[in-house]
Amino acid sequence: MASEKVDDGLGERLLLCVQASRTVGDLREYWADKPWPEGFSGRWFESIGGGGDQPAVANRITGTDIVAVAALSVRIPIWMSWRLLESDSDEIESLLAHIPRDQDLWVAVEATVGGGSEADLLWSKLAAMSREASKTGMRRVTAGKLLARKRPRLIPIQDTNVMKVVQLRAGCGWWLSLRHALSDERLRLAIDQRAAEAGVPSHVSTLRVLDVILWMRGRG
């Protein structure tokens, strides 16, 4: 999944999106505390059950994680849920144990998120499971959102709205390209500044804030 090629123009494109005048309003709208069913259910993705990267659950997928990805409009079929929680749980736990829990994407070495890494292998496994269970073509989205739930500082979400805005160059990998883009402190500071201005909860990672900025832009 993770290509060795990097889109080295991604950082400047992302910086323009983050600095746009609508960004703070988009973030406020997304995390607005409105009564159900108003507002965006995705605002609960990180907070349901206290988060998927807590030490006690960081290396296994739980029922709470399956509920959390539903907040991002991903419904995991029961047969895939069974494999995540039961039949394949040992293999998943072994892979997760080798993926850093407290490391940010921009400081990770390529071996952590590049092709052949445990993160890449787990993404491929989850994508294959999704394909077999649902036949919906949502395998990339499902795999990415599950991994983002377990490693919110390290693994970025990849969905159609985000990629529509990003316009990643053909043949370039999203994880490695974003890692390269976020190595520029200007982009990270801009994201964090917009998050602070919008009152985004402090437990939300820089990666997730960027995801919402791009998703809201692609949606609109």
Side-chain angles (χ1 to χ4, degrees), residues 123-146:
W123 183 94
S124 297
K125 178 177 178 62
L126 296 175
M129 289 171 61
S130 178
R131 181 178 62 248
E132 293 166 7
S134 66
K135 311 293 186 184
T136 63
M138 293 288 286
R139 59 189 183 275
R140 297 172 64 90
V141 175
T142 302
K145 291 179 178 179
L146 274 170

PDB file of all heavy atoms in Angstrom, residues 123-146:
ATOM      1  N   TRP A 123      -2.379  -2.856   7.494  1.00  0.00           N
ATOM      2  CA  TRP A 123      -3.321  -2.185   6.596  1.00  0.00           C
ATOM      3  C   TRP A 123      -3.770  -3.153   5.502  1.00  0.00           C
ATOM      4  O   TRP A 123      -4.964  -3.259   5.201  1.00  0.00           O
ATOM      5  CB  TRP A 123      -2.663  -0.953   5.965  1.00  0.00           C
ATOM      6  CG  TRP A 123      -3.597  -0.178   5.086  1.00  0.00           C
ATOM      7  CD1 TRP A 123      -4.361   0.882   5.438  1.00  0.00           C
ATOM      8  CD2 TRP A 123      -3.868  -0.424   3.692  1.00  0.00           C
ATOM      9  NE1 TRP A 123      -5.090   1.321   4.362  1.00  0.00           N
ATOM     10  CE2 TRP A 123      -4.817   0.541   3.285  1.00  0.00           C
ATOM     11  CE3 TRP A 123      -3.410  -1.354   2.768  1.00  0.00           C
ATOM     12  CZ2 TRP A 123      -5.305   0.593   1.969  1.00  0.00           C
ATOM     13  CZ3 TRP A 123      -3.899  -1.310   1.459  1.00  0.00           C
ATOM     14  CH2 TRP A 123      -4.827  -0.342   1.078  1.00  0.00           C
ATOM     15  N   SER A 124      -2.836  -3.865   4.912  1.00  0.00           N
ATOM     16  CA  SER A 124      -3.173  -4.811   3.846  1.00  0.00           C
ATOM     17  C   SER A 124      -4.082  -5.919   4.355  1.00  0.00           C
ATOM     18  O   SER A 124      -5.028  -6.335   3.667  1.00  0.00           O
ATOM     19  CB  SER A 124      -1.891  -5.419   3.258  1.00  0.00           C
ATOM     20  OG  SER A 124      -1.088  -4.421   2.657  1.00  0.00           O
ATOM     21  N   LYS A 125      -3.822  -6.406   5.557  1.00  0.00           N
ATOM     22  CA  LYS A 125      -4.654  -7.456   6.140  1.00  0.00           C
ATOM     23  C   LYS A 125      -6.073  -6.951   6.378  1.00  0.00           C
ATOM     24  O   LYS A 125      -7.057  -7.623   6.023  1.00  0.00           O
ATOM     25  CB  LYS A 125      -4.055  -7.946   7.456  1.00  0.00           C
ATOM     26  CG  LYS A 125      -4.911  -9.008   8.150  1.00  0.00           C
ATOM     27  CD  LYS A 125      -4.264  -9.519   9.413  1.00  0.00           C
ATOM     28  CE  LYS A 125      -5.178 -10.530  10.095  1.00  0.00           C
ATOM     29  NZ  LYS A 125      -5.437 -11.729   9.251  1.00  0.00           N
ATOM     30  N   LEU A 126      -6.190  -5.763   6.964  1.00  0.00           N
ATOM     31  CA  LEU A 126      -7.510  -5.197   7.238  1.00  0.00           C
ATOM     32  C   LEU A 126      -8.266  -4.896   5.948  1.00  0.00           C
ATOM     33  O   LEU A 126      -9.485  -5.103   5.866  1.00  0.00           O
ATOM     34  CB  LEU A 126      -7.376  -3.929   8.080  1.00  0.00           C
ATOM     35  CG  LEU A 126      -6.799  -4.115   9.491  1.00  0.00           C
ATOM     36  CD1 LEU A 126      -6.605  -2.759  10.156  1.00  0.00           C
ATOM     37  CD2 LEU A 126      -7.690  -5.012  10.336  1.00  0.00           C
ATOM     38  N   ALA A 127      -7.541  -4.421   4.932  1.00  0.00           N
ATOM     39  CA  ALA A 127      -8.179  -4.147   3.644  1.00  0.00           C
ATOM     40  C   ALA A 127      -8.702  -5.429   3.010  1.00  0.00           C
ATOM     41  O   ALA A 127      -9.808  -5.465   2.460  1.00  0.00           O
ATOM     42  CB  ALA A 127      -7.192  -3.454   2.711  1.00  0.00           C
ATOM     43  N   ALA A 128      -7.919  -6.505   3.089  1.00  0.00           N
ATOM     44  CA  ALA A 128      -8.354  -7.788   2.528  1.00  0.00           C
ATOM     45  C   ALA A 128      -9.561  -8.325   3.287  1.00  0.00           C
ATOM     46  O   ALA A 128     -10.508  -8.846   2.683  1.00  0.00           O
ATOM     47  CB  ALA A 128      -7.205  -8.789   2.573  1.00  0.00           C
ATOM     48  N   MET A 129      -9.553  -8.198   4.602  1.00  0.00           N
ATOM     49  CA  MET A 129     -10.684  -8.645   5.402  1.00  0.00           C
ATOM     50  C   MET A 129     -11.950  -7.880   5.037  1.00  0.00           C
ATOM     51  O   MET A 129     -13.040  -8.457   4.907  1.00  0.00           O
ATOM     52  CB  MET A 129     -10.375  -8.467   6.892  1.00  0.00           C
ATOM     53  CG  MET A 129      -9.345  -9.435   7.438  1.00  0.00           C
ATOM     54  SD  MET A 129      -8.808  -9.025   9.123  1.00  0.00           S
ATOM     55  CE  MET A 129     -10.335  -9.155  10.030  1.00  0.00           C
ATOM     56  N   SER A 130     -11.805  -6.578   4.853  1.00  0.00           N
ATOM     57  CA  SER A 130     -12.956  -5.750   4.492  1.00  0.00           C
ATOM     58  C   SER A 130     -13.508  -6.145   3.126  1.00  0.00           C
ATOM     59  O   SER A 130     -14.718  -6.230   2.926  1.00  0.00           O
ATOM     60  CB  SER A 130     -12.551  -4.277   4.505  1.00  0.00           C
ATOM     61  OG  SER A 130     -13.626  -3.453   4.106  1.00  0.00           O
ATOM     62  N   ARG A 131     -12.614  -6.400   2.206  1.00  0.00           N
ATOM     63  CA  ARG A 131     -13.037  -6.785   0.854  1.00  0.00           C
ATOM     64  C   ARG A 131     -13.821  -8.096   0.893  1.00  0.00           C
ATOM     65  O   ARG A 131     -14.869  -8.235   0.270  1.00  0.00           O
ATOM     66  CB  ARG A 131     -11.831  -6.930  -0.055  1.00  0.00           C
ATOM     67  CG  ARG A 131     -12.183  -7.321  -1.502  1.00  0.00           C
ATOM     68  CD  ARG A 131     -10.958  -7.410  -2.381  1.00  0.00           C
ATOM     69  NE  ARG A 131     -10.028  -8.436  -1.919  1.00  0.00           N
ATOM     70  CZ  ARG A 131      -8.826  -8.188  -1.416  1.00  0.00           C
ATOM     71  NH1 ARG A 131      -8.393  -6.946  -1.315  1.00  0.00           N
ATOM     72  NH2 ARG A 131      -8.045  -9.178  -1.028  1.00  0.00           N
ATOM     73  N   GLU A 132     -13.318  -9.052   1.652  1.00  0.00           N
ATOM     74  CA  GLU A 132     -13.979 -10.359   1.723  1.00  0.00           C
ATOM     75  C   GLU A 132     -15.330 -10.266   2.441  1.00  0.00           C
ATOM     76  O   GLU A 132     -16.279 -10.970   2.091  1.00  0.00           O
ATOM     77  CB  GLU A 132     -13.076 -11.345   2.460  1.00  0.00           C
ATOM     78  CG  GLU A 132     -11.799 -11.687   1.704  1.00  0.00           C
ATOM     79  CD  GLU A 132     -10.774 -12.380   2.588  1.00  0.00           C
ATOM     80  OE1 GLU A 132     -11.128 -12.697   3.746  1.00  0.00           O
ATOM     81  OE2 GLU A 132      -9.644 -12.584   2.134  1.00  0.00           O
ATOM     82  N   ALA A 133     -15.420  -9.369   3.429  1.00  0.00           N
ATOM     83  CA  ALA A 133     -16.627  -9.307   4.248  1.00  0.00           C
ATOM     84  C   ALA A 133     -17.743  -8.496   3.612  1.00  0.00           C
ATOM     85  O   ALA A 133     -18.923  -8.810   3.775  1.00  0.00           O
ATOM     86  CB  ALA A 133     -16.292  -8.711   5.619  1.00  0.00           C
ATOM     87  N   SER A 134     -17.391  -7.443   2.871  1.00  0.00           N
ATOM     88  CA  SER A 134     -18.424  -6.504   2.452  1.00  0.00           C
ATOM     89  C   SER A 134     -18.671  -6.432   0.954  1.00  0.00           C
ATOM     90  O   SER A 134     -19.770  -6.097   0.524  1.00  0.00           O
ATOM     91  CB  SER A 134     -18.082  -5.103   2.960  1.00  0.00           C
ATOM     92  OG  SER A 134     -16.908  -4.629   2.336  1.00  0.00           O
ATOM     93  N   LYS A 135     -17.631  -6.667   0.156  1.00  0.00           N
ATOM     94  CA  LYS A 135     -17.746  -6.556  -1.298  1.00  0.00           C
ATOM     95  C   LYS A 135     -18.202  -5.161  -1.729  1.00  0.00           C
ATOM     96  O   LYS A 135     -18.812  -4.983  -2.768  1.00  0.00           O
ATOM     97  CB  LYS A 135     -18.745  -7.587  -1.858  1.00  0.00           C
ATOM     98  CG  LYS A 135     -18.556  -9.011  -1.368  1.00  0.00           C
ATOM     99  CD  LYS A 135     -17.271  -9.628  -1.870  1.00  0.00           C
ATOM    100  CE  LYS A 135     -17.190 -11.104  -1.481  1.00  0.00           C
ATOM    101  NZ  LYS A 135     -15.910 -11.722  -1.863  1.00  0.00           N
ATOM    102  N   THR A 136     -17.905  -4.144  -0.927  1.00  0.00           N
ATOM    103  CA  THR A 136     -18.411  -2.811  -1.231  1.00  0.00           C
ATOM    104  C   THR A 136     -17.373  -1.886  -1.843  1.00  0.00           C
ATOM    105  O   THR A 136     -17.702  -0.780  -2.240  1.00  0.00           O
ATOM    106  CB  THR A 136     -18.930  -2.132   0.052  1.00  0.00           C
ATOM    107  OG1 THR A 136     -17.826  -1.972   0.959  1.00  0.00           O
ATOM    108  CG2 THR A 136     -20.024  -2.954   0.703  1.00  0.00           C
ATOM    109  N   GLY A 137     -16.118  -2.308  -1.881  1.00  0.00           N
ATOM    110  CA  GLY A 137     -15.082  -1.421  -2.375  1.00  0.00           C
ATOM    111  C   GLY A 137     -14.590  -0.433  -1.335  1.00  0.00           C
ATOM    112  O   GLY A 137     -13.823   0.464  -1.646  1.00  0.00           O
ATOM    113  N   MET A 138     -15.028  -0.592  -0.081  1.00  0.00           N
ATOM    114  CA  MET A 138     -14.658   0.333   0.996  1.00  0.00           C
ATOM    115  C   MET A 138     -13.431  -0.154   1.762  1.00  0.00           C
ATOM    116  O   MET A 138     -13.139   0.345   2.833  1.00  0.00           O
ATOM    117  CB  MET A 138     -15.835   0.485   1.969  1.00  0.00           C
ATOM    118  CG  MET A 138     -17.038   1.165   1.391  1.00  0.00           C
ATOM    119  SD  MET A 138     -16.760   2.935   1.145  1.00  0.00           S
ATOM    120  CE  MET A 138     -16.837   3.505   2.841  1.00  0.00           C
ATOM    121  N   ARG A 139     -12.702  -1.114   1.229  1.00  0.00           N
ATOM    122  CA  ARG A 139     -11.645  -1.740   2.008  1.00  0.00           C
ATOM    123  C   ARG A 139     -10.554  -0.761   2.424  1.00  0.00           C
ATOM    124  O   ARG A 139     -10.037  -0.837   3.524  1.00  0.00           O
ATOM    125  CB  ARG A 139     -11.041  -2.913   1.242  1.00  0.00           C
ATOM    126  CG  ARG A 139     -10.446  -2.585  -0.111  1.00  0.00           C
ATOM    127  CD  ARG A 139     -10.078  -3.854  -0.868  1.00  0.00           C
ATOM    128  NE  ARG A 139      -9.431  -3.589  -2.142  1.00  0.00           N
ATOM    129  CZ  ARG A 139     -10.064  -3.347  -3.261  1.00  0.00           C
ATOM    130  NH1 ARG A 139     -11.378  -3.296  -3.260  1.00  0.00           N
ATOM    131  NH2 ARG A 139      -9.409  -3.141  -4.383  1.00  0.00           N
ATOM    132  N   ARG A 140     -10.164   0.181   1.519  1.00  0.00           N
ATOM    133  CA  ARG A 140      -9.111   1.134   1.862  1.00  0.00           C
ATOM    134  C   ARG A 140      -9.567   2.054   2.990  1.00  0.00           C
ATOM    135  O   ARG A 140      -8.817   2.341   3.916  1.00  0.00           O
ATOM    136  CB  ARG A 140      -8.731   1.956   0.629  1.00  0.00           C
ATOM    137  CG  ARG A 140      -8.138   1.156  -0.513  1.00  0.00           C
ATOM    138  CD  ARG A 140      -7.966   2.020  -1.755  1.00  0.00           C
ATOM    139  NE  ARG A 140      -7.007   3.088  -1.529  1.00  0.00           N
ATOM    140  CZ  ARG A 140      -5.699   2.971  -1.754  1.00  0.00           C
ATOM    141  NH1 ARG A 140      -5.197   1.841  -2.199  1.00  0.00           N
ATOM    142  NH2 ARG A 140      -4.892   3.990  -1.540  1.00  0.00           N
ATOM    143  N   VAL A 141     -10.800   2.521   2.893  1.00  0.00           N
ATOM    144  CA  VAL A 141     -11.335   3.437   3.900  1.00  0.00           C
ATOM    145  C   VAL A 141     -11.456   2.739   5.250  1.00  0.00           C
ATOM    146  O   VAL A 141     -11.071   3.288   6.285  1.00  0.00           O
ATOM    147  CB  VAL A 141     -12.699   3.990   3.441  1.00  0.00           C
ATOM    148  CG1 VAL A 141     -13.320   4.843   4.532  1.00  0.00           C
ATOM    149  CG2 VAL A 141     -12.541   4.809   2.167  1.00  0.00           C
ATOM    150  N   THR A 142     -12.015   1.533   5.254  1.00  0.00           N
ATOM    151  CA  THR A 142     -12.189   0.795   6.504  1.00  0.00           C
ATOM    152  C   THR A 142     -10.852   0.527   7.172  1.00  0.00           C
ATOM    153  O   THR A 142     -10.684   0.760   8.373  1.00  0.00           O
ATOM    154  CB  THR A 142     -12.915  -0.539   6.234  1.00  0.00           C
ATOM    155  OG1 THR A 142     -14.179  -0.270   5.621  1.00  0.00           O
ATOM    156  CG2 THR A 142     -13.122  -1.313   7.523  1.00  0.00           C
ATOM    157  N   ALA A 143      -9.891   0.048   6.403  1.00  0.00           N
ATOM    158  CA  ALA A 143      -8.572  -0.254   6.966  1.00  0.00           C
ATOM    159  C   ALA A 143      -7.921   1.002   7.533  1.00  0.00           C
ATOM    160  O   ALA A 143      -7.368   0.994   8.637  1.00  0.00           O
ATOM    161  CB  ALA A 143      -7.681  -0.874   5.886  1.00  0.00           C
ATOM    162  N   GLY A 144      -7.986   2.097   6.788  1.00  0.00           N
ATOM    163  CA  GLY A 144      -7.346   3.337   7.222  1.00  0.00           C
ATOM    164  C   GLY A 144      -7.955   3.907   8.486  1.00  0.00           C
ATOM    165  O   GLY A 144      -7.242   4.389   9.375  1.00  0.00           O
ATOM    166  N   LYS A 145      -9.282   3.843   8.584  1.00  0.00           N
ATOM    167  CA  LYS A 145      -9.935   4.417   9.755  1.00  0.00           C
ATOM    168  C   LYS A 145      -9.724   3.563  11.001  1.00  0.00           C
ATOM    169  O   LYS A 145      -9.583   4.094  12.113  1.00  0.00           O
ATOM    170  CB  LYS A 145     -11.420   4.650   9.469  1.00  0.00           C
ATOM    171  CG  LYS A 145     -11.627   5.780   8.459  1.00  0.00           C
ATOM    172  CD  LYS A 145     -13.074   6.054   8.119  1.00  0.00           C
ATOM    173  CE  LYS A 145     -13.156   7.233   7.131  1.00  0.00           C
ATOM    174  NZ  LYS A 145     -14.548   7.546   6.741  1.00  0.00           N
ATOM    175  N   LEU A 146      -9.670   2.262  10.833  1.00  0.00           N
ATOM    176  CA  LEU A 146      -9.341   1.405  11.979  1.00  0.00           C
ATOM    177  C   LEU A 146      -7.929   1.684  12.484  1.00  0.00           C
ATOM    178  O   LEU A 146      -7.694   1.798  13.692  1.00  0.00           O
ATOM    179  CB  LEU A 146      -9.467  -0.067  11.583  1.00  0.00           C
ATOM    180  CG  LEU A 146     -10.853  -0.699  11.687  1.00  0.00           C
ATOM    181  CD1 LEU A 146     -10.864  -2.071  11.029  1.00  0.00           C
ATOM    182  CD2 LEU A 146     -11.304  -0.800  13.145  1.00  0.00           C
TER     183      LEU A 146
END
